[in-house]
DNA sequence: TTGAAAGCGGTACCAT
DNA sequence: ATGGTACCGCTTTCAA
């Protein structure tokens, strides 16, 4: 490959001018810049990554740690990885993958060897091992998700509480007096950081409105269908006129099928809102209103925060919550007249 | 961070000795080596990645290109990414992610800037754009999958033909005379490189044995259940006594449910073999014999081939097929007596 | 068995 | 607006 010397010679300038023309950190005369660009194009020059890291003390690489646990939902996870990669490229950064056992030892290794400028932490657990590590290593890190102990850390996440509250409020405003919620499988409430936040907000807000509420977990794998069906049945039997969904796409589909099987129409007979889903609820057999978790938003914000750390050293520790957006697909309406009388 | 100078000073040796102690490329006296190691431990020294890349002309990074198309099966894909990362770490390499639009432009960029020593190509399409690129860029690449035009390329894959042939042979040996195969959705036969190879091998080998064969595609998404059920029904009605499965885990589950619904027992009434599946067929409601596609095997082989290129420049172009292994779970048996008489 | 020193290919400071 | 050059931290040749 051509080096910066080749370019300088071809353009008839010094290497520092080439360097400055590339970085823009110093004004370069227009036609000088043109000659340099021509040389670059002709030679197919690309700055050597290693040399740049060494001289510039910048790797232009983010390390992305992802445990890839067995219970990780692959499609959601992939969406986050992809979103991170795209967000990184927008600021001219690459992404280095740290998986499995390497999530912890790898963070240390990558930080110590200056292989990455910052670490992005995915798939955050409430008691995540990477919290302690993040505090120790010499490079900044940004958590996409909020661990229990997040003192001094930089965290990004959807504002799940706000999303849940908005969902409950909308139903309350329409006159619903009994609402249910279908949550994730029970284990997720220990392993993951956000489901408990949604559950709590749901109960509290419903209480605030004086609305009867009924939260139910869903099952995993083969048990999911029956668990969802049963949950739905019991909620309906108890008189629920609206259901919030905070669970997998499969669970959404099963719920819709169950309602359909009972001959219920959405939203005439029952209102539905999906909270914090990261798939498109508009493409379900019946589109559902949603306050979605958008990987692109979280990841772009995370990258922006990381860049701020690097550029000005302004690391903005704290939990950066992304305000939810309501996407309407006509899946909510006032409760049926019968329920209003009964309620 | 500590540098190699710090270590050298602390150990009372020159930096070249430290370097050689680390790389092992030159003998170092035992106690010298001990003193150096002590200094390294105490200082928490880790060689600077950028400096190493520059001086050593080795990045110790593999670029992993993965298109992440919409039709990509997320769990399978994740398994391959994970397997690649683990295999890479075993040889002290890291993995840089090239996704989406970056799969092609990124390959060029990473190669030109010497950000990676080699490129690993995942999710290979029959007419993959990355083929032309691989031939042009200045770093070696290894395809995990076989594109149509693979002249001069290094490719690794399960020997799908051999797997299919072994499956057919086993059924033939047991006396089956009518066998069916449930394949992937039709689109996959254009977008992916291996399904056609299985389909062809199936038909050819069955013909060789003089066995009646019936290949059927499955559907995608919501249509899959009905497509699988119908396919199974028609195969059984035509007298099939064994079915090969070369499709998703969901499709396997639906097939088992369909057989169960017809009151058929595996393997007494019907024999099943799964070909090229990358999930565990032993954990299905009825365990199924399999000639699995093992991501770990493919990825380790790919990494080994890449390393061979780098170490000795011996790049072994060609298609490196991994011989299949038969995993028995008691899902095949001779055809029922009735079928034998009828056949 | 070990040390000295010349790069590797950039960045950025100090001059002009 | 541009050029010269001292590093960045390591690998590897050449010498001893």
């Amino acid at each position: 490959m051509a080096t910066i010397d080749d370019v300088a010679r071809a353009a008839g300038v010094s290497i520092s001018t080439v360097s400055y023309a590339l970085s823009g950190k110093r004004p370069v005369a227009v036609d000088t810049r043109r000659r340099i660009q021509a040389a670059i194009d002709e030679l197919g020059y690309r700055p050597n990554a290693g040399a740049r890291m060494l001289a510039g003390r910048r790797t232009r690489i983010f390390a992305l740690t992802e445990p890839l646990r067995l219970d990780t939902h692959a499609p959601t996870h992939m969406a986050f990885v992809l979103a991170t990669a795209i967000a990184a490229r927008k600021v001219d950064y690459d992404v280095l993958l740290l998986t499995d056992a390497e999530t912890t030892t790898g963070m240390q290794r990558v930080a110590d060897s200056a292989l990455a400028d910052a670490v992005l932490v995915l798939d955050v657990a409430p008691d995540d091992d990477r919290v302690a590590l993040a505090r120790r290593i010499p490079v900044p890190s940004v958590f996409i998700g909020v661990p229990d102990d997040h003192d001094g850390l930089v965290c990004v996440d959807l504002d799940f509480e706000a999303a849940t509250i908005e969902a409950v409020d909308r139903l309350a405003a329409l006159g619903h007096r009994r609402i249910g919620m279908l949550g994730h499988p029970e284990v997720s409430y220990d392993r993951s950081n956000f489901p408990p936040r949604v559950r709590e907000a749901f109960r509290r807000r419903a209480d605030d409105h004086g609305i009867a509420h009924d939260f139910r977990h869903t099952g995993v794998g083969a048990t999911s269908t029956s668990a969802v069906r049963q949950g739905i049945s019991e909620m309906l039997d108890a008189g629920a006129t609206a259901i919030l969904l905070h669970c997998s796409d499969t669970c959404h589909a099963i719920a819709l099928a169950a309602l359909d099987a009972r001959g219920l129409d959405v939203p005439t007979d029952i209102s539905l809102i999906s909270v914090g889903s990261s798939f498109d609820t508009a493409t379900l057999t019946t589109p559902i209103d949603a306050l979605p978790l958008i990987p692109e938003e979280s990841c772009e914000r995370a990258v922006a925060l990381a860049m701020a750390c690097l550029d000005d050293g302004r690391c903005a520790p704290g939990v950066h919550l992304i305000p939810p957006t309501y996407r309407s697909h006509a899946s909510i309406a006032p409760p049926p007249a019968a329920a209003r009388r009964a309620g």
Side-chain angles (χ1 to χ4, degrees), chain A:
Chain A
M1 284 305 310
T3 72
I4 197 172
D5 285 284
D6 301 328
V7 175
R9 203 169 311 124
V13 297
S14 72
I15 62 165
S16 50
T17 301
V18 175
S19 179
Y20 284 118
L22 249 35
S23 69
K25 292 189 182 174
R26 187 165 93 171
V28 171
V30 188
D31 65 305
T32 307
R33 149 169 277 122
R34 264 208 321 91
R35 290 205 323 278
I36 292 176
Q37 190 54 53
I40 288 177
D41 292 343
E42 178 164 9
L43 296 169
Y45 168 73
R46 275 271 167 67
N48 178 284
R52 251 174 134 176
M53 292 184 200
L54 182 56
R57 287 108 185 294
R58 277 246 181 164
T59 63
R60 288 154 194 275
I61 290 179
F62 290 133
L64 182 68
T65 81
E66 38 162 11
L68 290 185
R69 297 184 300 265
L70 281 176
D71 58 310
T72 302
H73 184 59
T76 305
H77 186 80
M78 255 179 56
F80 273 90
V81 171
L82 182 60
T84 304
I86 292 175
R89 284 307 305 147
K90 285 190 188 165
V91 292
D92 198 30
Y93 265 68
D94 271 295
V95 168
L96 195 82
L97 218 54
L98 257 31
T99 51
D100 205 61
E102 277 285 291
T103 44
T104 43
T105 66
M107 255 170 91
Q108 185 75 249
R109 182 174 59 79
V110 158
D112 287 346
S113 59
L115 225 189
D117 296 335
V119 178
L120 304 178
V121 182
L122 232 52
D123 232 335
V124 177
D127 60 338
D128 209 291
D129 288 343
R130 294 168 294 178
V131 168
L133 228 77
R135 296 198 174 112
R136 191 167 59 221
I137 60 176
V139 306
S141 45
V142 177
F143 285 68
I144 301 178
V146 185
D148 287 343
D149 168 17
H150 50 260
D151 234 49
L153 299 182
V154 183
C155 307
V156 179
D157 212 350
L158 170 67
D159 191 339
F160 282 99
E161 281 92 346
T164 309
I165 287 172
E166 178 166 349
V168 173
D169 286 357
R170 288 198 180 233
L171 295 175
L174 287 173
H176 291 269
R177 310 299 303 160
R178 292 196 104 81
I179 63 180
M181 174 174 244
L182 230 42
H184 284 283
E186 196 149 10
V187 290
S188 299
Y189 289 75
D190 296 324
R191 296 213 196 125
S192 222
N193 67 85
F194 57 89
R197 282 149 54 195
V198 171
R199 186 175 51 187
E200 268 324 289
F202 168 68
R203 289 175 175 154
R204 196 163 353 101
R205 195 61 168 190
D207 279 339
D208 291 349
H209 281 292
I211 289 180
H213 53 84
D214 184 2
F215 179 92
R216 284 159 187 281
H217 296 293
T218 49
V220 274
T223 67
S224 62
T225 307
S226 54
V228 171
R229 286 212 183 120
Q230 188 185 336
I232 294 257
S233 283
E234 294 177 7
M235 290 194 267
L236 293 175
D237 292 344
T241 56
I243 298 177
L244 298 187
L245 299 166
H246 180 228
C247 52
S248 69
D249 51 348
T250 310
C251 159
H252 280 63
I254 298 170
L256 285 175
L259 292 174
D260 194 52
R262 279 180 73 125
L264 297 178
D265 180 71
V266 176
T268 318
D269 304 313
I270 179 104
S271 292
L272 296 178
I273 305 179
S274 178
V275 175
S277 40
S278 57
F279 57 91
D280 188 359
T281 57
T283 60
L284 291 165
T285 52
T286 301
I288 301 181
D289 285 21
L291 291 138
L293 166 61
I294 304 169
E296 289 76 10
E297 271 182 8
S298 300
C299 296
E300 266 191 65
R301 187 73 181 279
V303 164
L305 286 165
M307 290 306 283
C309 285
L310 301 177
D311 288 341
D312 0 341
R314 311 165 58 73
C315 263
V319 177
H320 299 256
L321 293 177
I322 297 174
T325 318
Y326 195 90
R327 296 203 179 159
S328 182
H329 297 296
S331 72
I332 63 173
R340 279 203 295 276
R341 281 193 303 274

